[in-house]
Amino acid sequence: MASTSAFSPVTHSGDELAKSYDPTAIEQGLYDWWDSEGYFAPAASKEGDQRPPFVTIMPPPNVTDVLHVGHALFVALQDIMTRWHRMKGEPTLWLPGADHAGIAGQWVVEKLLAEEGLTRHDLGREQFLERVWAFMNEYRPRIREQMKLLGASCDWSRFAFTMDPGPARAVRVAFKHLYDKGLIYRGERIISWCPRCRTALSDLEVKHREEPSSLWTLAYPVEGSDERVLVATTRPETMLGDTGVAVHPDDERYQRLIGRHVRLPISNRLIPVVADSHVDRAFGTGAVKVTPAHDPNDFDIAQRTGLPALNILNLDATLNEHAGEFEGMTIDEARAGVVARAEAEGWLVSVEAHLHSVGHCDRCDTVIQPLISKQWFVQMAPLAEPALEAAHSGELAFVPERFKGVYDNWLENIHDWTISRQLWWGHRIPIWYCQECDGVHASIDETMESCPACGGRVEQDPDVLDTWFSSSLWPFSTLGWPDKTPDLARFYPGTVMETGYEIIFHWVARMVFMGIEMMGEVPFHTVYIHGMVRDIDGAKMSKTKGNGIDPIEVSSQYGADALRYTLVTQASPGNDSRLSLQKVEASRNFGNKLWNATRFAIRSIGETPIDMDDQGPARPAGDLALADRWILSRLDEVTRSSTRLLEGYLFGEAGRQINDFIWSELCDWYIEAAKVRLREGSDGQAAVAQVLAYTLERSLRLLHPFMPFITEALWQRLPHVGGSVMTAPWPSAGEGDAEAEQAFGTVMTLVRGIRNARADAGVEPGRWVAARVHAGALAAVIESTRAEFGLLARIADGQLEITSEEPRHEPSSVTVLADGVVAVLPLAEMIDIGVERARLERELGEAEQERQRAEKQLGNGSFVARAPESVVAVQRDRLARSLEQIAIIRERLDALGE
RNA sequence: GGGUGAUUAGCUCAGUUGGCUAGAGCGCCACGUUGACAUCGUGGAGGUCACUGGUUCGAGUCCAGUAUCGCCCACCA
């Protein structure tokens, strides 16, 4: 091995494999060794290889994140894809990064300051940002180290942070581009305001929750009449900001009031009654109070009808000077006050219980206040259209497909995107206002000395951009854009974006339209969506509930391989899954199984020379035993099917099938059968060694993307070619051997039948018995594998007779049927006639059922006429076999007598 | 109000273009320290694939509807 680092995966834990699998012992050091060997960086394209590189950009975790099980899932899935494509020989890039997480990041540091009794305003912007950076730099390496523990084979040399100079410049360039194009504008709109974060939020950052509340009906007196208009509201305090009452233009009840005025009982203001077709005549009283400054619907009504807006809130959600006697109160206090007055003064008509959908800040859960504010927006319609088109044309595909509908639906109903945030931590809006000529200028430079128009003094916009603005540029800002770097040319667009459904809108859709707008091309062609990992009761894992499973803790106990394997195989694309330690333990046990199978193989190979080709142990050829041919054929099949499953993004099913092959076929049958040929003086040892070396080495390659550590550790111990299983070629499937599969299948069925019969008859498991096998045409085949058969079925060597004759029945014996083969076990003193009779009766019943089913099928004319020939043939075989079995069992029952 | 997912063994879930005598892991029962593995082996029990109808020679798989649970989106005061 030409290792350049001191660590070597082979010598590391001594020469002998330990008796049982200890994940921590083998995972230790392996990752750094891979890294130091340079396996994570994309390889140069091979000459003549026209395939595009495989590129996936990691969704950047927040810098302040501690690795949780959701990260572990995406790391596992992305690493499987990455390792698989790398093994297929494609230049492969998995690019990691971290996100500055504007609001969340700022909040964390503000909380620390609060412990010192300080606010960010005490420090001032500059000092505060220094504190944030210090904090970020301290925490930045943490999650990276944790992802390494999981085996993430990403290229750390390209690690990117959203606030690094490169991506930060990309933000300014993109902003200016959109600003110059008129797609970014500044306007006074109704926005969602978080009074705690003191910033505007986008629609996506507001989470609505139904909460029990009341519906108050208030009476507003009509000016110049005795009439009163009844309006219903869930927020009575907002009447302080009412500037009108709206009714439906066709509503008979209110026709005569349109254009007249009502007097707001609380502030004695006169406000007009307007008509707007948006009003639902059937809801409440059919008349709505209009508060344009604090309700998005009312804002729209006001826009259409020309009503003014009256802001009654301070930015901390207390009432302002327009609230009169309620000034300075919180919303709850003001509400209570307004209701009390209404009741006292007789204009409260009714109070009913009502479920009300209330918006909360996604970050801090504070109740959101809609209010009118001057903010920056991205005009979405022109950007959404090509993003929709990309999904329609198939240039952008979703796995599972149904998420395309989710994506479409959002883009089709999209509102403009509020991108300014009244925070300090983030990308500062690259806009400067001239203090002298009132000019507004965007720039891609970090600073602007003076007004480009008049040379006057300029001041930069104090706000920062929504974190997702920089995220939306991620697929190219990480590759050096806006510079024309070699990486950008080679790795854009990417291949797959693997992420969770919760950020399809936040991130995926925005990357798509920004990619199309800035690069002229979608940033990736496939979006793979994974589900959420929940606890075993189906609840979301959360810190506050304390039901979280810490991936690092689990890895240190069961191994990163076991955790990864569990996460991937328990889930199917797009669906949530439930994780428990019990499942991880089962995966660890699989590791132990593999470990011991390899230990057995290494011991069996011993000093035997193994034929090698340029990939590894050569495929065994020549005069092979039936079991050899069978396992090679099964390996072909699992290679074929797991490759097909990976191509279809069915990672879990692929992983399960590889496990099933290794455990239930290689270990349970091949290795057990091979033992007989490894005995002293046996002549099959060399062939077994070759088959084991070949099969196991291939199996390790198949499993490697799923369980990278253990497969590397074991692969290094087996005969192999190359430095690491990471770069060994992904296996291609051979043709398979149907004849061997069928013949060995019969042997397996016979062995199972004999074991079953022995158990029924109460034969001690270790006891060797005699048997005569009537194998008919298969006699030669069974004869060829007699030693293996004898071992598997525990039939004593000298007492196994294999014949092509018709079955003969002994009085005190047990009869076992498998396909066309009958085994007779003279168990003499152990036989309880009653038990044996019952067993045979049961088998007869089963055979009868088989016969009936087959007869029914074959008796159906249209089945025979329309079903494919192969399906019909199966039924014919089934009928023939069941008839044969019925005859044999009957005969045997007769022979048994009473 | 619109989407959308789930409903398969005691539990958690697979089941990819319809051919299934419906599988796995865990749990359960019986037996077992045979030199790879007790982080194991052998055998076993356990399911009318939510319900109703339809398409088909054939449906867990396709279609329509119903029920329950869940998620997403939506400006009903």
Side-chain angles (χ1 to χ4, degrees):
Chain A
M1 276 228 358
S3 172
T4 54
S5 86
F7 175 82
S8 154
V10 176
T11 55
H12 160 250
S13 60
D15 285 327
E16 279 293 310
L17 282 185
K19 189 176 171 189
S20 58
Y21 165 52
D22 176 3
T24 50
I26 60 157
E27 290 178 9
Q28 187 79 41
L30 208 42
Y31 190 91
D32 291 337
W33 176 75
W34 282 328
D35 203 4
S36 67
E37 297 288 297
Y39 292 131
F40 298 155
S45 293
K46 292 203 181 75
E47 210 171 321
D49 189 345
Q50 295 301 310
R51 289 179 299 176
F54 175 81
V55 181
T56 188
I57 310 282
M58 179 191 289
N62 292 348
V63 251
T64 55
D65 272 347
V66 179
L67 193 87
H68 57 69
V69 112
H71 296 121
L73 175 64
F74 83 62
V75 164
L77 289 167
Q78 289 167 36
D79 199 40
I80 285 171
M81 293 188 219
T82 301
R83 286 179 186 268
W84 177 53
H85 283 276
R86 191 184 286 120
M87 290 176 80
K88 289 205 298 177
E90 299 162 24
T92 297
L93 173 63
W94 182 17
L95 197 154
D99 190 278
H100 66 281
I103 296 183
Q106 175 160 328
W107 191 15
V108 172
V109 178
E110 283 187 300
K111 271 200 290 196
L112 289 177
L113 285 180
E115 285 169 20
E116 303 168 27
L118 296 171
T119 71
R120 65 175 150 133
H121 301 284
D122 296 329
L123 295 186
R125 187 165 191 143
E126 210 167 304
Q127 272 195 42
F128 177 74
L129 287 177
E130 275 171 29
R131 285 287 294 256
V132 179
W133 270 107
F135 180 84
M136 296 301 161
N137 287 336
E138 190 186 333
Y139 280 90
R140 194 134 70 126
R142 186 178 53 182
I143 194 154
R144 191 188 319 184
E145 291 312 310
Q146 293 182 321
M147 287 196 284
K148 288 181 177 180
L149 291 174
L150 292 178
S153 68
C154 41
D155 183 357
W156 298 108
S157 73
R158 286 179 167 84
F159 183 88
F161 180 46
T162 45
M163 291 296 279
D164 283 344
R169 189 160 66 96
V171 164
R172 296 192 299 272
V173 171
F175 186 97
K176 183 163 190 321
H177 168 90
L178 295 170
Y179 178 76
D180 290 346
K181 224 177 150 176
L183 291 175
I184 284 183
Y185 65 92
R186 192 175 186 223
E188 201 147 23
R189 298 287 139 93
I190 188 146
I191 48 98
S192 297
W193 181 264
C194 173
R196 197 222 59 87
C197 300
R198 301 271 187 106
T199 180
L201 300 174
S202 71
D203 297 347
L204 286 178
E205 290 160 305
V206 181
K207 296 295 158 203
H208 289 269
R209 239 192 350 252
E210 295 241 300
E211 288 178 359
S213 169
S214 302
L215 186 66
W216 288 270
T217 302
L218 309 175
Y220 290 1
V222 178
E223 187 68 1
S225 108
D226 293 337
E227 271 187 90
R228 300 196 305 177
V229 176
L230 304 186
V231 294
T233 179
T234 51
R235 303 187 55 193
E237 73 285 1
T238 60
M239 70 181 287
L240 293 162
D242 282 0
T243 58
V245 167
V247 297
H248 195 276
D250 303 333
D251 194 331
E252 300 293 336
R253 296 170 293 178
Y254 298 113
Q255 281 286 323
R256 62 185 190 288
L257 293 181
I258 296 171
R260 298 184 63 178
H261 287 74
V262 297
R263 190 166 290 277
L264 263 186
I266 200 143
S267 44
N268 213 29
R269 287 200 329 263
L270 272 183
I271 56 175
V273 177
V274 298
D276 190 280
S277 52
H278 171 82
V279 176
D280 180 356
R281 276 172 281 186
F283 188 91
T285 61
V288 201
K289 60 190 272 309
V290 183
T291 321
H294 302 292
D295 184 291
N297 290 322
D298 294 2
F299 181 82
D300 290 346
I301 293 178
Q303 294 284 72
R304 287 190 291 265
T305 58
L307 291 176
L310 179 64
N311 181 13
I312 59 164
L313 289 178
N314 295 310
L315 295 182
D316 63 356
T318 57
L319 285 274
N320 68 14
E321 68 278 9
H322 297 301
E325 67 189 89
F326 302 100
E327 183 178 357
M329 288 189 184
T330 65
I331 285 174
D332 285 344
E333 289 162 358
R335 180 174 304 175
V338 168
V339 171
R341 257 190 68 180
E343 207 166 2
E345 296 173 8
W347 41 274
L348 175 64
V349 177
S350 67
V351 186
E352 297 165 48
H354 186 72
L355 265 188
H356 186 210
S357 178
V358 182
H360 295 256
C361 175
D362 195 22
R363 278 293 154 203
C364 69
D365 211 41
T366 303
V367 173
I368 291 303
Q369 296 304 328
L371 51 81
I372 292 175
S373 171
K374 200 169 201 183
Q375 301 288 343
W376 287 94
F377 298 89
V378 175
Q379 194 192 332
M380 284 310 305
L383 293 170
E385 198 185 329
L388 279 165
E389 175 50 30
H392 290 163
S393 70
E395 205 185 340
L396 180 71
F398 285 83
V399 180
E401 229 171 313
R402 68 183 133 95
F403 289 104
K404 176 180 170 318
V406 177
Y407 167 94
D408 280 355
N409 196 269
W410 187 68
L411 283 173
E412 279 162 7
N413 301 298
I414 196 156
H415 300 295
D416 284 355
W417 175 16
T418 314
I419 50 169
S420 41
R421 296 288 179 278
Q422 287 64 53
L423 305 171
W424 289 351
W425 175 236
H427 298 103
R428 192 147 170 194
I429 293 178
I431 285 284
W432 283 261
Y433 305 103
C434 179
Q435 306 299 296
E436 287 159 35
C437 71
D438 283 343
V440 177
H441 304 282
S443 169
I444 60 173
D445 294 328
E446 256 185 294
T447 55
M448 183 181 282
E449 296 304 325
S450 56
C451 175
C454 72
R457 202 168 59 82
V458 289
E459 219 160 81
Q460 189 172 5
D461 193 297
D463 292 349
V464 301
L465 288 166
D466 181 2
T467 301
W468 296 102
F469 190 90
S470 56
S471 312
S472 68
L473 312 173
W474 205 232
F476 42 96
S477 68
T478 50
L479 296 172
W481 186 87
D483 295 333
K484 291 188 175 9
T485 62
D487 266 12
L488 188 65
R490 190 169 176 217
F491 300 123
Y492 190 94
T495 317
V496 180
M497 173 51 56
E498 195 287 328
T499 192
Y501 52 68
E502 68 278 7
I503 53 177
I504 291 177
F505 307 138
H506 275 116
W507 198 41
V508 176
R510 286 168 177 168
M511 280 189 287
V512 174
F513 64 67
M514 285 296 205
I516 295 172
E517 177 64 23
M518 298 298 159
M519 296 292 297
E521 203 177 349
V522 290
F524 33 75
H525 296 294
T526 299
V527 180
Y528 177 94
I529 300 293
H530 63 247
M532 189 188 295
V533 182
R534 299 168 176 279
D535 76 3
I536 197 61
D537 299 314
K540 264 189 186 176
M541 291 189 190
S542 77
K543 262 188 219 156
T544 45
K545 262 184 276 181
N547 62 344
I549 292 181
D550 175 8
I552 298 305
E553 211 175 295
V554 173
S555 297
S556 67
Q557 194 180 352
Y558 297 103
D561 283 336
L563 175 63
R564 292 168 52 124
Y565 183 82
T566 306
L567 287 169
V568 170
T569 53
Q570 72 169 351
S572 48
N575 293 328
D576 291 354
S577 61
R578 303 182 186 192
L579 182 66
S580 70
L581 290 181
Q582 214 180 30
K583 293 179 180 178
V584 183
E585 189 179 354
S587 301
R588 190 275 317 265
N589 294 353
F590 169 52
N592 185 61
K593 191 72 185 177
L594 179 64
W595 180 270
N596 276 290
T598 306
R599 204 157 71 94
F600 176 85
I602 290 169
R603 186 189 298 186
S604 305
I605 292 166
E607 300 301 310
T608 314
I610 297 298
D611 288 342
M612 304 292 284
D613 61 21
D614 57 352
Q615 283 198 9
R619 186 174 178 108
D623 200 14
L624 294 170
L626 179 61
D628 298 336
R629 290 169 55 200
W630 172 78
I631 197 66
L632 293 174
S633 183
R634 296 308 302 153
L635 175 65
D636 288 337
E637 179 53 30
V638 74
T639 302
R640 190 176 3 264
S641 72
S642 59
T643 303
R644 201 192 65 229
L645 290 164
L646 287 172
E647 282 163 356
Y649 297 92
L650 296 163
F651 307 109
E653 188 59 16
R656 268 177 250 123
Q657 290 199 7
I658 295 164
N659 174 321
D660 198 47
F661 168 75
I662 291 172
W663 199 319
S664 309
E665 300 190 309
L666 183 57
C667 292
D668 287 355
W669 290 95
Y670 183 76
I671 287 181
E672 290 309 316
K675 283 176 180 171
V676 72
R677 289 197 285 156
L678 294 169
R679 282 180 188 152
E680 203 76 29
S682 240
D683 56 5
Q685 189 272 340
V688 167
Q690 187 72 33
V691 172
L692 277 176
Y694 174 82
T695 309
L696 211 42
E697 194 268 348
R698 294 292 177 116
S699 303
L700 291 172
R701 281 197 243 163
L702 292 176
L703 187 62
H704 178 257
F706 300 86
M707 302 181 94
F709 293 103
I710 187 177
T711 50
E712 180 74 279
L714 295 175
W715 186 84
Q716 295 287 350
R717 309 298 185 116
L718 285 167
H720 65 268
V721 170
S724 166
V725 67
M726 271 187 74
T727 51
W730 182 253
S732 53
E735 280 181 13
D737 183 340
E739 194 185 278
E741 291 215 23
Q742 174 137 37
F744 197 73
T746 299
V747 172
M748 290 164 73
T749 308
L750 192 60
V751 168
R752 283 198 196 100
I754 292 171
R755 285 173 175 168
N756 179 333
R758 288 169 52 119
D760 270 3
V763 180
E764 302 95 81
R767 177 157 176 171
W768 295 86
V769 298
R772 190 170 59 241
V773 175
H774 304 269
L778 282 173
V781 175
I782 307 271
E783 182 60 46
S784 77
T785 193
R786 72 176 293 142
E788 289 94 326
F789 170 71
L791 178 70
L792 292 169
R794 296 236 126 219
I795 294 163
D797 199 22
Q799 300 185 56
L800 172 59
E801 188 190 337
I802 297 169
T803 167
S804 56
E805 292 163 17
E806 289 296 298
R808 282 184 283 119
H809 298 290
E810 308 297 335
S812 295
S813 63
V814 163
T815 306
V816 175
L817 296 89
D819 301 337
V821 178
V822 179
V824 178
L825 315 189
L827 293 175
E829 77 282 6
M830 273 169 278
I831 296 290
D832 177 320
I833 300 280
V835 170
E836 175 64 357
R837 174 171 283 282
R839 195 178 68 82
L840 286 170
E841 298 274 11
R842 201 173 61 229
E843 295 216 345
L844 181 63
E846 280 166 19
E848 283 286 3
Q849 262 188 12
E850 277 285 289
R851 184 185 61 111
Q852 280 169 22
R853 271 195 284 257
E855 274 176 352
K856 191 181 161 205
Q857 283 277 47
L858 292 166
N860 181 337
S862 14
F863 170 74
V864 179
R866 299 193 190 204
E869 183 47 41
S870 60
V871 175
V872 177
V874 167
Q875 296 302 323
R876 292 212 172 92
D877 283 356
R878 197 173 166 196
L879 179 60
R881 200 183 328 124
S882 60
L883 286 171
E884 192 184 354
Q885 297 205 338
I886 288 165
I888 293 166
I889 298 169
R890 287 236 165 91
E891 211 174 302
R892 177 62 194 147
L893 279 168
D894 287 346
L896 228 46
E898 282 313 308

